[in-house]
Amino acid sequence: MGRPQSVAFRALDRHVVAGRADEAALSTASGTLSYAQLLHESASLAGGLRDLGLRAGAPVHLDVPDRHLWVVSVLAIVRLGAEPDPDASFTITGDPVMIRAADEEYEFDLVLRAGRVDPAPSSVHDEGDYGERMERRFGDVLATLLHGGTLT
């Protein structure tokens, strides 16, 4: 049996492929997103972050109090294979959420919309133990999605 699919693929893409696209994946005070919608939003944000220079293995600091935007951000970071690091200069932080890259600051929604032009695909496989480390780091998000549940 080969290597397992990436944690990003297993958390969202596989549910959409399996016909669960319209089932609820995230339900917060901001609204409910289906698996397909959450996939689209996180892949779009990942595309925008990629356009700003975030790559696999690159450090990123994430500190977002809004649960809805936290989930989308976590999934975007994992989709790119970036490394959570509280000391990173590339940041996704605040309320309202701002993204800082290369000494420039961007509104979250602007980066999200820019990424819709070319959403980021998930990796086929994770590098090394990346998937396991992200499951430990972001278990509050990934565990529920990996099991096909609905985040709240």
Side-chain angles (χ1 to χ4, degrees):
M1 178 174 153
R3 291 175 26 192
Q5 294 166 318
S6 71
V7 68
F9 183 89
R10 290 183 291 123
L12 289 175
D13 303 59
R14 77 174 170 115
H15 297 298
V16 173
V17 171
R20 300 185 59 225
D22 295 329
E23 292 181 25
L26 174 64
S27 185
T28 67
S30 299
T32 299
L33 293 179
S34 68
Y35 273 92
Q37 290 169 323
L38 185 55
L39 171 60
H40 178 69
E41 290 295 284
S42 59
S44 294
L45 180 60
L49 295 172
R50 180 194 58 215
D51 291 347
L52 294 176
L54 192 62
R55 299 285 186 266
V60 59
H61 174 61
L62 177 62
D63 185 12
V64 176
D66 180 275
R67 175 69 173 167
H68 186 95
L69 299 179
W70 166 263
V71 169
V72 172
S73 298
V74 164
L75 294 167
I77 287 169
V78 170
R79 193 162 199 82
L80 291 174
E83 292 288 341
D85 180 349
D87 298 321
S89 59
F90 195 111
T91 65
I92 305 169
T93 58
D95 184 15
V97 181
M98 298 297 288
I99 296 169
R100 187 168 186 77
D103 295 325
E104 295 288 332
E105 213 168 49
Y106 306 90
E107 293 178 11
F108 183 93
D109 286 341
L110 177 68
V111 176
L112 178 69
R113 286 193 316 267
R116 288 193 176 127
V117 174
D118 186 19
S122 65
S123 298
V124 176
H125 304 289
D126 293 318
E127 291 298 320
D129 67 345
Y130 182 80
E132 293 82 18
R133 288 187 294 110
M134 294 307 104
E135 285 183 56
R136 285 192 300 275
R137 178 71 180 258
F138 299 121
D140 66 314
V141 171
L142 294 173
T144 300
L145 295 176
L146 288 169
H147 291 97
T150 303
L151 291 165
T152 55

